Amino acid sequence: MQYISKPLFMPFFIVAIIIAIHILLYWFSDTLTKNKHTYYFIIQGLIIFIASFILPKGSIVLLVGLLPILIAQSITIFHQTFKVVFVFSLFYILYCIAIIINYDLSELPKFIPIFFFILIIVSFYSIIYNRQVNARIRMQYYLNQLEFAHKKVEELTLSNERQRMARDLHDTLAQGLAGLIMQLEAVESHLQKGNAVRSQEIILMSMEHARKTLRDSRVAIDNLRLKSLGEKDFREAVIDEINKFSEATSIPVEYDIQAIYKLNNLIREHSLYIISEGLTNIAKHSKATKAKITLNEGNKLLYIAMEDNGIGFSDKLIGKQPGKYGLLGLHERVRLIGGHINIQSNHDEGTNIYVKVPLNGKGYS
């Protein structure tokens, strides 16, 4: 067995230590250099240059194997052409000097093509790799942003769901109880007049109304929709609401309702709620002796008008009185179907509510 002689072993050992230092600097380059990248490349170049003179016969392997890697690294670290050219020029000069000293000037033309060939391959691979890394980083960033947006959407969805539940509870419990109270007040009025037959009729109606309110409340609590209005003619549904209102309050309602067949289910449902809420407000607050409802279409718009001759109010107070959510609910309903609402009211001059809703569902402008 042959052993490596001590004079030959020492250069290999020293070069191994130098290359280990080079690898450590390369591995921790981001942490160690920070804003001193130029010094990093100078030091790394000198380490390779020194190692090439310790092993002169193996210098070509060290130079061609390590210098292109550092040049490719400079492309990814520096975003300025001047600095990349500086690093390339420095390492190219060191390469030429080492080749001339270790091999002779006549050998330089043979080794320059090898250097550029390896440099092109390493640079191409480095650029592709870093693009993939940057794409992955960007994708992770977008995923984080998407997750953040998803949380925001969940928060907004929860908020909108709470508002929807508040509207549904108002449309079922509040309106149902309000209608029941109106019927009981009518019973009291007829009893005072001695009209027991009419009182009994209204009591029976009140019982049925209470049962319906209970059913509707359960549907709302279970987050279900009422029976689709598409199964029932919209004009008939509006007239039913008017008849119930007149029977419960004895307030005559003049109406002019056009038959409309182009409404989708969403507009049908909300429009009927708007009319029902308007009638409820008339009964509860207006002290009116008559009312009028007009419903027609034109220019791809649905027009709803509700008028009464009651005591009126200041329209500046809409949404500002605790517990008074009827008119605020009207605004929300109209907004949900992309419509526009105009409420006109003054003291002792009655109240007029005008609603425009686009039949195409694209919003009113």
Side-chain angles (χ1 to χ4, degrees), residues 33-308:
T33 58
K34 294 184 179 179
N35 296 326
K36 299 179 181 179
H37 291 112
T38 303
Y39 297 106
Y40 162 78
F41 286 106
I42 293 175
I43 293 173
Q44 289 283 58
L46 291 176
I47 288 176
I48 297 172
F49 188 70
I50 293 171
S52 68
F53 284 101
I54 296 176
L55 289 177
K57 297 303 181 180
S59 60
I60 185 63
V61 177
L62 294 173
L63 295 171
V64 173
L66 299 178
L67 290 180
I69 294 176
L70 289 176
I71 294 174
Q73 188 183 17
S74 71
I75 296 175
T76 60
I77 290 178
F78 295 126
H79 300 287
Q80 299 178 6
T81 306
F82 169 77
K83 292 185 177 180
V84 176
V85 172
F86 169 77
V87 173
F88 167 78
S89 302
L90 173 64
F91 291 162
Y92 181 70
I93 292 172
L94 291 177
Y95 176 80
C96 292
I97 293 173
I99 294 298
I100 292 172
I101 294 175
N102 291 333
Y103 293 93
D104 193 69
L105 180 61
S106 61
E107 299 293 326
L108 184 60
K110 298 180 182 179
F111 291 113
I112 288 179
I114 298 175
F115 176 80
F116 278 101
F117 179 74
I118 299 299
L119 176 62
I120 291 172
I121 294 176
V122 173
S123 298
F124 178 78
Y125 172 79
S126 178
I127 291 173
I128 296 299
Y129 174 77
N130 280 277
R131 284 182 178 177
Q132 291 178 346
V133 171
N134 292 332
R136 183 174 298 178
I137 292 173
R138 287 196 300 270
M139 183 176 293
Q140 185 62 44
Y141 170 78
Y142 292 138
L143 287 175
N144 293 336
Q145 292 296 313
L146 183 62
E147 183 178 0
F148 176 77
H150 178 68
K151 291 181 180 178
K152 287 294 183 183
V153 169
E154 285 184 341
E155 293 175 0
L156 292 174
T157 301
L158 181 60
S159 176
N160 289 336
E161 184 65 14
R162 287 175 177 172
Q163 293 181 5
R164 188 193 68 80
M165 291 177 65
R167 286 192 303 268
D168 288 347
L169 289 174
H170 173 268
D171 293 335
T172 55
L173 287 174
Q175 287 191 7
L177 291 176
L180 187 59
I181 290 172
M182 287 187 294
Q183 290 175 335
L184 293 176
E185 289 175 345
V187 170
E188 181 184 13
S189 175
H190 286 294
L191 287 176
Q192 290 177 353
K193 297 177 181 179
N195 191 347
V197 176
R198 180 56 180 165
S199 299
Q200 186 175 8
E201 293 176 355
I202 297 177
I203 288 175
L204 294 175
M205 292 171 52
S206 300
M207 293 172 63
E208 179 59 30
H209 184 79
R211 293 189 185 97
K212 182 179 181 300
T213 300
L214 180 60
R215 289 195 302 268
D216 293 345
S217 300
R218 287 173 176 170
V219 171
I221 293 173
D222 293 337
N223 197 24
L224 299 174
R225 291 289 187 182
L226 293 174
K227 184 179 179 181
S228 173
L229 292 175
E231 301 175 9
K232 186 177 183 179
D233 182 79
F234 181 62
R235 183 175 184 275
E236 292 181 1
V238 174
I239 294 175
D240 286 345
E241 288 294 326
I242 293 173
N243 291 335
K244 292 177 183 178
F245 169 82
S246 297
E247 291 176 358
T249 63
S250 299
I251 299 176
V253 179
E254 177 185 354
Y255 59 85
D256 179 9
I257 302 176
Q258 177 182 344
I260 300 173
Y261 303 101
K262 298 180 181 180
L263 297 180
N264 59 46
N265 290 339
L266 182 67
I267 295 178
R268 287 172 181 268
E269 180 179 339
H270 285 291
S271 297
L272 186 60
Y273 272 130
I274 289 168
I275 294 170
S276 177
E277 179 61 31
L279 291 173
T280 300
N281 287 333
I282 291 174
K284 291 171 61 177
H285 307 296
S286 71
K287 297 182 180 180
T289 58
K290 63 179 180 179
K292 180 179 180 180
I293 292 181
T294 304
L295 195 151
N296 53 54
E297 67 171 313
N299 299 322
K300 297 182 179 180
L301 292 171
L302 170 66
Y303 296 91
I304 301 174
M306 292 176 282
E307 304 171 352
D308 67 70

